[in-house]
Amino acid sequence: MGMKLDQIPVRQMKGVSAQKEQELHAFGVHTIADLLDYFPFRYEDYRIRSLGETKDGEKATFEGKIIGHPLLQRYGRAKTRLTCKIAIDNILVTAVWFNRHFLQEHLVPGRDIVLTGKWEQHRLQITVSESEFPDKGAARSGTLQPVYSIGGGITQPWIRKLMKQALQQYGPMVEEVLPVELMDKHGLMLRRDAVLHVHQPDDIAQGQAARRRLVYEELFLFQLKLQAYRTLNRKRMDGVAHVVDAESIREFVRTLPFELTDSQKKVVNEILIDMRHPSCMNRLLQGDVGSGKTVVAAIALFATVRAGHQGALMVPTEILAEQHYRSLQKLLGGVGLQVGLLTGSLTEKKRRDVLAGLQMGLIDVIVGTQAIIQDGVNFRSLGLVVTDEQHRFGVNQRSVLRRKGLNPDVLTMTATPIPRTLAITAFGDLDVSTLRERPQGRKPIQTNWVKHSMLDRVLGFIRREVEAGRQCYFICPLIEESDKLDVQNAIDLHVQIQQAFPDLRIGLLHGRLGAAEKDEVMRAFSQNESQVLVATTVVEVGVDVPNATLMIIMDAERFGLSQLHQLRGRVGRGGHQSYCVLIADPKSEIGRERMKIMTETDDGFEVSRRDLELRGPGDFFGTKQSGVPDFKLADMAADFEVLEQARDDAADVTAKPDFWSAAAYARLREVLRKEQLFQGDLLD
């Protein structure tokens, strides 16, 4: 058979009708290779147990002999309860089946039976979920049966049968992917054996060994793509080599209204070294809320302009774009740089002027939403793109710029401090710079957790802060009333706060407002025309109102730790003492632990570490935009040691001089060729 498994349609399998084929397609199974890689997420243990080794309430499989005649009871319209006495380990127990009346005729005294169900020790009773008769050829008993993610018309027995058939027919054709050196290094079984044993393990140890092999492979191949991309990127010398003398940078830093922290100086040096190199910079700047990332970005943008190029700062929203525009005008305008703003709400005339200014090189730095890299926007010489965390600058955006003949350096900023475990996965193709210190003069934010019953005291606290000339955020998780969640909502809360403070102007901000309405609400708050802003989490990222000193979060247990920390970071941006009040009555232990952590630390890296421990990596980022991949088997928290090993191995392999030509790595190169980002880059 000359065809490869990824070329054979799953329809060729016996028993796969057109209907079943469509249902398999819905699970991403199109070929035999897809089917064999559709791994179980757990196993049902049908190995025979004794009553003595089974705990009360545990589900297990037992072998016994039918002793008494079955008794059938009917109740309700169509419900039945079937009971029968069974001897297991010389103990007489009662087996109970619900709505399985058709089994009555098979329960013959003296016949052997295998039961799987919940053991109730005090009643000497098994509530049976499945049963088999050895004289009919018991299919499950004595085995570990795989459990697959299924739906539609696909049942567990059907997919188990299909998988067994596929393993017998096509298992020997499974090709090896990993080089022998790596399998020997880590003591990994062959891929062919791993695929067989992950679907049909003889015992737990064999299943775990198969999983370990496949998890390593999955993480290694993912890291291989990132490391190969990184290696090729460094070899390519078609980037912008920024030539800028150190003295002009030092002069610019002296014009800043504050002293740089040691952490900022270190990070600036890392960025400038990258910018001087002719290969493209691809660096992640991560720092806690208020650690001074914008200033670092401003220095990098200054450097690109001094080297004769233009810079761009790309952010997700117009509010943020205008805020950064004002900040950069203060920092860069003072040394003669022209800063422009490009957003969707510009008038047609202003837009034309900005586009012309960019094309002729009259604008040195442009701030805007993702529109700044779209068609119709042309630069005289783009040297650096700085992007916000919500616009992960991926391969697609790079190709947009490459088609324009541009290969700028890229600096991605994130205010979500990422534990190393996740950073090397989500951002394995980036070099990482980290800001650990806070700028001088920033006071720690005092965080308190109170119950809903103390709301009146919280309102009194708001009154005191407002009378001192300060402002307050009041955050809640939903926009309008929900029957499912007993949580405060923005619209009701706005009314409630207005009633509590009839003499104050209370703003309302939520996701269903139009862009112009949001901008107006934020403008009024930032200029102290409104004293309290009731909002959903739209204020989470980037909004900067130095006069706001109080952040109150309603139903705080509904938020993740990282989100709570981001919200807290909206205050404490001026010289006054700031406070965060969490109003919550958490029902769960995890909810209480979140509140406790928030009151104990305001270090974002510590918050992230403990968030990962509490939640696991699955929803750490919350959204797909982060670039964290979906793995079939790997779990980033449980398998982080394998992940780090896979990264180191991938870096070693791709750095070898013969990686792009040696026969030992031919299969790996084939894997890379399938990735769009490597088209035109791989030359054997």
Side-chain angles (χ1 to χ4, degrees), residues 375-673:
D375 291 339
V377 181
N378 297 303
F379 294 83
R380 185 184 58 77
S381 174
L382 181 61
L384 173 69
V385 176
V386 181
T387 75
D388 181 271
E389 61 188 304
Q390 295 207 1
H391 276 161
R392 175 81 203 286
F393 204 75
V395 176
N396 294 341
Q397 290 100 323
R398 283 175 187 284
S399 63
V400 168
L401 293 176
R402 256 184 199 170
R403 285 200 296 274
K404 293 183 179 187
L406 301 167
N407 239 343
D409 286 342
V410 175
L411 180 66
T412 300
M413 298 195 296
T414 175
T416 307
I418 301 162
R420 183 165 181 263
T421 314
L422 292 188
I424 66 171
T425 307
F427 305 113
D429 54 330
L430 280 72
D431 297 298
V432 180
S433 290
T434 303
L435 288 171
R436 294 298 306 229
E437 296 173 76
R438 284 205 184 97
Q440 289 176 350
R442 284 271 169 99
K443 295 174 182 170
I445 299 162
Q446 288 185 23
T447 304
N448 296 292
W449 164 31
V450 302
K451 302 287 179 71
H452 280 83
S453 57
M454 295 177 71
L455 183 58
D456 284 347
R457 286 179 64 179
V458 173
L459 294 176
F461 192 19
I462 294 174
R463 171 65 73 185
R464 286 197 297 278
E465 284 296 293
V466 169
E467 285 177 354
R470 311 284 162 256
Q471 290 165 276
C472 166
Y473 292 103
F474 216 127
I475 307 296
C476 57
L478 285 187
I479 294 169
E480 56 198 24
E481 197 167 346
S482 161
D483 295 331
K484 292 180 184 172
L485 294 176
D486 178 26
V487 292
Q488 269 292 13
N489 61 74
I491 293 162
D492 281 359
L493 185 62
H494 182 245
V495 171
Q496 194 179 343
I497 301 300
Q498 276 184 321
Q499 288 169 348
F501 303 110
D503 55 323
L504 302 182
R505 184 172 168 191
I506 316 294
L508 174 62
L509 186 68
H510 57 69
R512 294 194 187 165
L513 295 178
E517 292 172 295
K518 283 181 190 169
D519 288 350
E520 175 51 32
V521 171
M522 274 316 303
R523 186 202 61 74
F525 188 65
S526 61
Q527 293 178 14
N528 204 1
E529 291 172 16
S530 60
Q531 291 74 49
V532 179
L533 179 62
V534 174
T536 54
T537 53
V538 287
V539 299
E540 185 182 338
V541 178
V543 178
D544 192 2
V545 182
N547 192 51
T549 56
L550 187 51
M551 167 62 69
I552 294 165
I553 304 174
M554 204 74 169
D555 298 303
E557 74 274 16
R558 302 279 180 191
F559 298 94
L561 264 178
S562 288
Q563 201 174 24
L564 289 172
H565 182 68
Q566 290 293 308
L567 287 166
R568 172 167 62 183
R570 295 303 102 221
V571 296
R573 306 178 83 82
H576 307 287
Q577 177 61 55
S578 290
Y579 307 89
C580 176
V581 179
L582 308 170
I583 301 178
D585 294 307
K587 305 283 187 290
S588 71
E589 191 54 47
I590 285 185
R592 287 188 285 275
E593 188 61 25
R594 277 192 192 135
M595 299 306 107
K596 199 159 153 278
I597 291 167
M598 285 294 293
T599 60
E600 287 172 353
T601 181
D602 66 347
D603 177 342
F605 289 92
E606 177 63 14
V607 167
S608 292
R609 187 187 68 76
R610 291 171 74 171
D611 196 12
L612 185 61
E613 284 175 6
L614 279 181
R615 292 205 284 167
D619 60 352
F620 180 85
F621 287 96
T623 56
K624 286 286 164 221
Q625 67 203 11
S626 61
V628 177
D630 279 332
F631 292 123
K632 290 176 183 170
L633 279 177
D635 176 311
M636 283 184 285
D639 301 315
F640 78 92
E641 287 179 8
V642 183
L643 172 63
E644 292 187 310
Q645 188 61 67
R647 179 189 163 131
D648 293 345
D649 289 343
D652 290 345
V653 167
T654 53
K656 291 188 176 185
D658 63 345
F659 175 70
W660 304 106
S661 56
Y665 305 119
R667 189 75 177 84
L668 295 182
R669 291 196 298 277
E670 198 179 309
V671 169
L672 291 178
R673 268 201 193 84

